[in-house]
Structures are given as C-alpha cells and as structure tokens.
C-alpha cells in the first residue's frame, strides 16, 4: 500500500531537517522563514512506497501569505493520507496554534515533537501523554537534528493512516454551536467531505477558502445572520472569536503539561546578550563580515587562487593544450579560440572557485549555528525606525549567496508594497558571481592599497544601497505604509552540523561550476569571436582595420560610462556582457587580456585591469556592476515574483538609474576630493544628484503630509 505523508509545521520547526533525514535527500535547511517556499517531495529511505512531502513553513492556515496558500491548497486538494505536524517543542505554545487548525482539514495527524534535545538541555518537562490526550493526536518525541526516533514517526503515521481516525478539537460550547449551525444549515457544507473546514472558514469569512463552495443566496444570508448573532454575543468578528478560542485552549493545555526547568538564562540567551546587544551588535556583525571576506578573498584568494589561475589554468592546462594543439597542426584560430578564449575566459572564472567555496562555507556555518537569524532580528530593530521591516532583510541576506533564491524568498512578505520593494533591492548584495569581480579588483586595482578592505566595503555598500533605496521608495505613494510586524523564532545556537554546512556549500559551488561550463562557456565563445572578427568581417589579425566588433561595440557605448570613470571600451563591454551572468565580466577581461602578450592567466588579467582602472574608477565600476540590473536569471526571478510587466520594468529602470547615480557620485567625488583632479561639469551634476537624493530620502512621506493637512483643516473648523 502506498502512503503519502505531508510534513507541516511552523517555519524553523525542523521540517526540512526531518525530511532530509527520512528521505536521504538534500533539501536546503535554513534558519529563517522562506527557505522552503515550494513543496518538495521525496521517498522514505527504508520503504520507497511511502511518499513524503515537505511543505513550506506556516504559522496558521489563514490565506495571508503565499506559503499558507501553497500549504493549505496542497492539504485540501491533494489529500495526503496523514499529516505529520512538526512542532518545535522549545516553542510549543506558538507551534500548537497551527496544530489546532490542521485537524479541521479532516486528515489524520501525528505530532512529531521536535527539538527534544533542547527541551532536555533546558531541563524542561513535557507530559507528553497528557498533552496527547488533550489534543487528541499521537505524539512522538524526536530530535531531527540528532536523528532520534525519526523512524518511529513514520511507523506511527502509517498506523494512524490505516485506522484513518480523524480527531477534531471542538471549540467551547458557545462557539461550537454556531459552527454546528452552519454545518447543518448550508447544504453544500453539510455534504462536503471537509464539512468542518468549510464551516469554520465560512464563519471566519475567509473568502479564498470558500470560493468554490456552491452556496445559494439564501444560505449566504443565513451564514451572515449566524455571524451577526455571534458578533453580538462576543463583541468580536468570526475570525477573532475563533482565534481567541484556539489560543485559550492551547494556553490551558500547555499550562497543564509543560513545566519549565531552570528559569535562568540558557547558553543561547547568554550569547545573545552579547551579539544582539544594542551597542555591540553592529560592530560584531561588521567584524565578522570583515573577517570572512578577508580570509576568503585575501588569504585564500592570494595563495590558492593564484596557484589555480597561474600554474593550473595558465601553465599546466593553457600551456600544455597550446603546445599539444600546435604540435597537432590545428588551425591557429582554433588554438586561439580554445586557449585564449575558452581556457582564459572560463578558467578565469573557475580560478576563483576557492574564494567562492570559502565564502560560502563561512556563510553556511554562520547560518547553521543560528547567527544569521540574529542579523535579521538586529537589522529589524534598527531599520524599523526608517520604516523598513526586518523581514525584507532575509531575502537580502539570502541574496548574498545568489539573488535568485533571495528574490524568491520575498514570498514570505505579506505586505505587497514591502514585497515589491524588497524584490527591487534584493540583488544589490554582492552575490557569489559578483564576488568574482571583487576578487579580481582586490588583486589588481586595489592590491597596492592593501585590497583587504575592498570586499567588505562592497558588502556594506550593498546594505547601504538597500537602506537608501528603502528610504527613497518608502516616501513614494506606491510603497508607503508601516512595515509589517516581524515575528521570527530565534533558534537556539548549536554547533554547526558538518553535513548541513558541507551540503549547502557544495550545492552552491556546484551550481557555480555548472554555470561556468554552460552559460559562461557560451558567452566566452561569443566574446572571443566578437573580439577576433573585425568590423569588416575578417579576422582581426589579417584585416585592414584592426578594430574588432567587440571593440567597436565597446567604443560606441563607452561615452555613456565616461562620466563614471570607465569609458574604456573593454570595461564597457564587460558591463554589458555581465548582464548574462556577472562572472562574464571577469571572463571578458580574461579573453581581452588573454589575447594580448602574456597568455591565459590571472597575471595578465590583473595587469590588464590595473592598467585600465584607477582606484576611483575601479570602485565606481564595481559598484555599477553590483547595483545595476542583475543577471538574466535574476531578472527572470524578478519578472516571476512581480507578476507584472510594468513592475518588472520599474524595478530594472530603478536599478539602472540608482546604480548610475551612485557610481557617478563615487567616481566624481573620489576623483576630485581624493585624487585631487579638477572638477568638471559632471562633478556638479553629481553634486546636484546628491542633493536630490538627500531630499528624496528625508522629505516628509506622502501620507504624513496629507494627515498633517487634514489635521490643520480639522483644527481650523
Ligand atoms: P524548517 O523551516 O521547518 O524546514 O526547519 P529546518 O529544517 O530548516 O530547521 C531549522 C533550524 O532548526 C536549523 O538550524 C536546524 O539545524 C535546526 N533543527 C532542526 N531540528 C532540530 C533538532 O531536533 N534539534 C535542534 N537543536 N535543532 C534542530
Ligand atoms: Mg524548510
């Protein structure tokens, strides 16, 4: 017999950890809501006939977020045989709120009481038998992280699925009578398999859940009437009455069964008292980020990457392939395509793999131990003052790996304005691909000035760009409004789990390598051809005019970027090809430099970059590439999440204008004030933009103005 088991529960309750342990698969385990925004399916390791579905984390079955809708539509339409409700035992009261709702769907339930290791460590006691009796569900105590008792969850789930016994928690008598009344008065509800579910949803006036019920006008009137009577009795609307009733039930059940152990501070509390401290939090965060980038880009970057690039791709592969091809009398152009094009372009990107791997390793550790969740919390506390929600920072922190999942995770944001705003700014962070460009610049343009500060500066520039944009956008009518409240379970700190950390790191590194072998390879070949074919369609080497198509394109568009300091044709072309994938910026320099004297290695790339850029134009180039329109994949994600062509264009337009303004200011001010060059007309334009930006950031928001106006009108009466 085949059985389908659905894992449902709050964000961060450990569903994905349990799913991985049961199915042996490699779902991403993250410490924040929004990591699993789509359901994932797998098969039980020990019995392939058992199908397991990992659902997005939800706090309730209301229709307010996309995850809630995904989860509840799955449960109602696909009807799994049994729900395993994963409950975080260390946060039991909040978690059980969902449990009381799940039973109404009409599917048997088993509670997997997870994180029992934490409960034990804290010295708390849970009377599981009694709690099970009160709730009416079987409970299995587990620790998904430590692999404790997880098979018993499946055994229990199977036996419950076989009996198909559904226990429904009743509300208090006074509330229950209204629900029963709806069940008996509305015929389509009474006949439905999900009778209870629809009755409650009608009472709560949840339109989405009841949309496909066939209700006559008379019945609709009856329901309205029932709700009105309840409202008179309780002084609250249907949804409020139900919510209140659930909470009362849970808190009395928890009071009866859970005994807190020591009331003192746990280890996590002690760590938090330092790292989330009002004054220390940000300096500690900054120090950690500096350290991570310093180690990744400068220590690992300097030695390993040099070796990989120069010895490995340059001498060993590039050199020997060239010798081999020349020995085999392969046409010179083909040799050049392979050595100067593919090996230089793709090799130039792959050469940075050690940096990316180290960076991802550190970020995964920070996330796995629970530190990154604190960052969202800390940033929330600060940025709320500016009208930004910490929820917006989760996509942005995820975007430090890759913007695509970052943009996708905006689905956790209920407020549509905040969600759109977050999609627009999520790609401002330096993702892995952009880290490639950063590494190239740290090793070249900024090497003389001890480039160690360059990478972290880009990271914080990303955060600053988010804040500035947030301030500007929030002042406009389309994005106005208070930030939504931000609730997030701060998980207990734990030692990094080697398998988790390595899995996350490897997933990202693999994606990076796959990209190098596909998109970047293709782009590199195209770039090589454009660079080797002259504008009169002959090979550059043999042509009258020695200007390649690539160079011609670059020169055509270069004037646009001259005010930003990088009107060099290769820099212009690199910026354009970077839209395919940001790594291609590096490959473009690789191909262009590789065709010069030295050969395909970082050395020539570094020399080339150092000859093209000053520190001012280098920083401006970097920031422009970091902040402007992201790669195709991320643009696709923006389109998908915006679900509107108009808003997609707005996002891309905003990113372009914003990047241009920032780079212009950075270059012009650095050029004049730091390098002591004379000011030009562009310097004054940059100054004007600076003033406008300050105005846009700090003017009174639209709403406040209107409110002030009406207040004046009121007092005038
Ligand atoms: P999901 O959001 O429900 O999918 O939760 P995840 O599986 O992503 O886990 C959230 C966090 O809780 C991760 O940091 C896990 O390592 C941690 N976690 C999961 N199960 C346990 C457990 O049994 N004990 C402890 N201490 N931590 C756990
Ligand atoms: Mg998950």
């Amino acid at each position: 017999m085949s059985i389908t088991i659905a894992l449902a529960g709050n964000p961060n309750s450990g569903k994905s950890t349990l799913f991985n342990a049961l199915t042996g698969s490699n779902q991403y385990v993250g410490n924040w809501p929004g990591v699993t925004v789509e359901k994932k399916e797998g098969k039980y390791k020990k019995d392939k006939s058992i199908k397991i579905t990992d659902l997005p984390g939800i706090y309730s079955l209301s229709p307010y977020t996309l995850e809630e809708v995904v989860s509840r539509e799955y449960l109602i339409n696909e009807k799994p045989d049994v729900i395993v409700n994963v409950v975080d035992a260390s946060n039991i009261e909040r978690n059980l709120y969902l449990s009381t709702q799940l039973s109404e769907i009409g599917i048997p339930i088993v509670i997997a009481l997870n994180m029992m290791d934490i409960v034990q460590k804290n010295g708390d006691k849970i009377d599981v038998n009694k709690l099970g009796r009160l709730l009416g569900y079987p409970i299995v105590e587990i620790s998904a992280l430590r692999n404790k008792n997880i098979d018993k969850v499946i055994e229990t789930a199977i036996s419950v699925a076989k009996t198909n016994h559904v226990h429904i928690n009743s509300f208090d008598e006074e509330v229950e009578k209204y629900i029963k009344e709806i069940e008996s008065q509305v015929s389509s509800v009474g006949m439905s398999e999900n009778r209870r579910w629809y009755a409650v949803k009608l009472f709560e006036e949840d339109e989405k859940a009841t949309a496909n019920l066939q209700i006559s006008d008379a019945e609709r009137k009856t329901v309205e009437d029932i709700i009105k009577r309840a409202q008179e009795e309780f002084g609250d609307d249907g949804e409020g009455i139900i919510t209140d009733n659930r909470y009362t039930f849970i808190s009395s059940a928890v009071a009866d069964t859970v005994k807190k152990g020591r009331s003192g501070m746990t280890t996590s509390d002690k760590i938090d008292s330092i790292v989330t401290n009002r004054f220390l939090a940000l300096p500690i965060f900054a120090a950690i980020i500096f350290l991570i980038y310093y180690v990744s880009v400068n220590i690992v970057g300097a030695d390993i990457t040099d070796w990989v690039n120069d010895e490995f791709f340059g001498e060993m592969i590039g050199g020997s392939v060239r010798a081999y091809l020349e020995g085999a009398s392969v046409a010179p152009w083909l040799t050049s395509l392979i050595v100067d094009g593919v090996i230089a372009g793709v090799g130039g990107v792959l050469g940075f793999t050690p940096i990316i791997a180290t960076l991802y390793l550190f970020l995964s550790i920070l996330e796995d131990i629970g530190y990154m969740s604190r960052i969202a919390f800390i940033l929330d506390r600060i940025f709320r003052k500016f009208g930004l929600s910490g929820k917006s920072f989760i996509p942005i922190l995820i975007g430090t790996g890759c913007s695509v999942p970052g943009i996708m995770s905006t689905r956790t944001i209920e407020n549509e304005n905040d969600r759109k705003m977050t999609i627009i700014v999520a790609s401002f962070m330096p993702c892995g691909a952009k880290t490639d460009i950063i590494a190239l610049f740290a090793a070249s343009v900024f090497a003389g000035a001890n480039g160690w500060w360059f990478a972290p500066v880009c990271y914080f520039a990303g955060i600053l760009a988010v804040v500035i944009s947030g301030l500007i956008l929030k002042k406009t009518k389309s994005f106005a409004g208070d930030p939504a409240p931000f609730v997030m379970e701060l998980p207990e700190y734990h030692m990094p789990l080697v398998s988790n950390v390595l899995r996350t790191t490897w997933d990202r590194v693999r994606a990076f390598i796959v990209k190098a072998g596909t998109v970047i390879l293709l782009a590199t070949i195209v770039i090589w051809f454009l660079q080797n074919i002259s504008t009169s369609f002959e090979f550059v080497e043999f042509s009258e005019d020695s200007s390649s198509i690539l160079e011609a394109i670059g020169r055509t568009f270069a004037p646009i970027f001259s005010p930003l300091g990088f009107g060099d044709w290769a820099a212009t072309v690199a910026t354009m090809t970077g839209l395919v994938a940001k790594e291609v910026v590096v490959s473009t320099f690789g191909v262009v430099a590789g065709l010069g004297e030295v050969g395909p290695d970082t050395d020539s790339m570094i020399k080339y970059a150092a000859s093209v850029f000053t520190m001012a134009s280098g920083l401006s180039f970097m920031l422009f590439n970091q902040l402007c329109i992201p790669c195709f994949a991320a643009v696709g994600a923006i389109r998908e999440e915006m679900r509107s062509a108009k808003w997609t264009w707005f996002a891309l337009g905003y990113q372009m204008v914003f990047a241009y303004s920032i780079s212009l200011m950075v270059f012009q001010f650095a050029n004049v004030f730091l390098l002591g060059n004379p000011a030009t007309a562009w310097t004054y334009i940059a100054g004007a933009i600076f003033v406008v930006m300050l105005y846009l950031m700090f003017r009174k928001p639209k709403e406040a103005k209107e409110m002030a106006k009406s207040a004046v009108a009121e007092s005038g009466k």
Side-chain angles (χ1 to χ4, degrees), residues 98-170:
L98 175 70
S99 314
T100 59
Q101 298 186 307
L102 286 173
S103 66
E104 282 153 18
I105 293 181
I107 298 174
I109 293 176
V110 173
I111 287 189
L113 197 58
N114 191 27
M115 315 232 184
M116 285 307 291
D117 53 323
I118 295 179
V119 170
Q120 272 146 19
K121 209 175 75 209
N122 292 348
D124 300 347
K125 289 265 176 313
I126 302 177
D127 185 342
V128 175
N129 288 331
K130 190 164 177 194
L131 185 64
R133 273 201 308 279
L134 287 173
L135 292 169
Y137 312 139
I139 299 182
V140 184
E141 294 165 86
I142 67 167
S143 168
L145 187 74
R146 315 237 178 272
N147 242 318
K148 282 246 173 67
N149 251 357
I150 58 169
D151 291 319
K152 195 164 165 221
V153 174
I154 300 295
E155 283 162 31
T156 315
I158 294 173
S159 69
V160 169
K162 281 189 180 140
T163 61
N164 201 15
H165 170 73
V166 178
H167 171 88
I168 288 177
N169 288 308
S170 351

Side-chain angles (χ1 to χ4, degrees), residues 554 557-568 571-573 575-576 620 624 656 660 667:
F557 291 100
I560 301 178
F561 299 108
S562 304
L564 313 188
F566 52 96
D568 171 69
T572 304
V573 166
T575 303
M576 291 159 69
S620 146
F624 186 81
M656 217 58 195
Y660 198 90
F667 174 69

Side-chain angles (χ1 to χ4, degrees), residues 236-249:
D236 199 350
D237 64 359
E239 196 180 353
I241 297 169
I242 296 283
T243 309
D244 196 54
N245 214 263
R246 290 192 208 279
Y247 274 127
T248 321
F249 169 67

Side-chain angles (χ1 to χ4, degrees), residues 424-425 427-430 434 458 461-466 469 582 621-630 651-652 654-663:
I424 296 173
V425 300
S427 59
F428 284 167
M429 296 303 284
K434 291 170 185 168
C458 293
I463 294 194
L464 202 63
V466 170
S469 298
K582 295 287 168 178
F621 177 83
M622 183 62 229
L623 287 178
F624 186 81
N625 277 281
Q626 183 180 327
L627 302 175
C628 79
I629 300 181
L652 302 185
Y654 177 83
Q655 289 163 347
M656 217 58 195
V657 172
F658 184 74
Y660 198 90
S661 311
I662 296 290
S663 291

Side-chain angles (χ1 to χ4, degrees), residues 679-700:
T680 65
W682 283 106
T683 317
Y684 294 104
I685 295 178
I689 291 179
F690 184 65
V691 174
V692 170
M693 226 172 206
L694 284 182
Y695 167 73
L696 290 178
M697 277 160 65
F698 296 111
R699 71 190 165 136
K700 272 226 175 79

Side-chain angles (χ1 to χ4, degrees), residues 10-17 27-30 32 34-37 54-57:
N10 284 190
N12 266 350
S13 57
K15 295 176 301 301
S16 296
T17 309
Q27 279 313 314
Y28 184 62
V29 173
W32 32 49
V35 165
T36 318
V37 278
D54 183 20
L55 293 174

